[in-house]
Amino acid sequence: MFAPNFYVLSPKSCANTIKPGLAAADDLRLSKLEVGTKHKYCVQAGASPAYMADLRYPSSDLSASSNNACSTHTIKWEASIHGEITTEPNAGRLPIEDVNVAYSLLDKNMVPVNCKGCSGTTSTTAGGMFEISFNVDNVALYGSSENEYAVDILYKKTSKSDNGTDIPHKFLCNEGEDDC
């Protein structure tokens, strides 16, 4: 992978951490990274009065540098879902708190992907909101830079009646038109 050189000045002398922020970020619109591929990223510290000194050569009076520090990174499949659970439209669309939201990422054959982070549970907030985030490395998703995957989502909540029995809630999707 080709990445341009970045020249980031430290605000202080040596032995400080430099955080370049977006100055050293990949532009994903241009890089077209493919899920499952491995990329090696290296950094090297250098001191020079000249901009962009060639740090591949031994130190001289004009430039000095550290050895490369490199790390390999595997491109993961990433996505997020932001949802809101409310009462039906004709009931005022009031938020529903503490709904258990169980989810599972599905492969191209609609079978759950078995990997760390591919499934889990979360709960809605007082405002009825929930968020599901995926950042997973699994061979079933390799080569899928622009593919869409389905997510199986189940909602569950029970409330206690005055006499102590459990009352299961029923959830509808698509503006109250379909069972979830």
Side-chain angles (χ1 to χ4, degrees), residues 5 33 47 135 145:
N5 290 324
L33 296 174
N135 184 355
S145 299

Side-chain angles (χ1 to χ4, degrees), residues 63 78 80:
S63 104
E78 296 184 53
S80 63

Side-chain angles (χ1 to χ4, degrees), residues 81 101-106 110 112 118 120 132 134 150-154:
I81 299 170
V101 181
Y103 59 90
S104 183
L105 181 63
L106 305 176
M110 303 303 281
C118 289
I132 299 169
F134 296 100
V151 177
D152 185 29
I153 302 177
L154 301 171

Side-chain angles (χ1 to χ4, degrees), residues 84-96 171-172 175-176:
E84 179 180 25
I85 299 179
T86 65
T87 58
E88 295 180 68
N90 62 1
R93 292 187 193 263
L94 300 173
I96 303 175
F171 292 92
L172 303 173
E175 300 293 324

Side-chain angles (χ1 to χ4, degrees), residues 35 76-81 102-120 132-138 140-142 144 147-153:
V35 174
K76 297 179 180 181
W77 189 83
E78 296 184 53
S80 63
I81 299 170
Y103 59 90
S104 183
L105 181 63
L106 305 176
D107 67 15
K108 295 173 187 175
N109 298 315
M110 303 303 281
V111 174
V113 178
N114 184 18
C115 72
K116 181 180 179 185
C118 289
S119 61
I132 299 169
S133 295
F134 296 100
N135 184 355
V136 296
D137 180 15
N138 186 278
L141 307 170
Y142 283 9
S144 60
N147 294 355
E148 294 181 0
Y149 289 93
V151 177
D152 185 29
I153 302 177

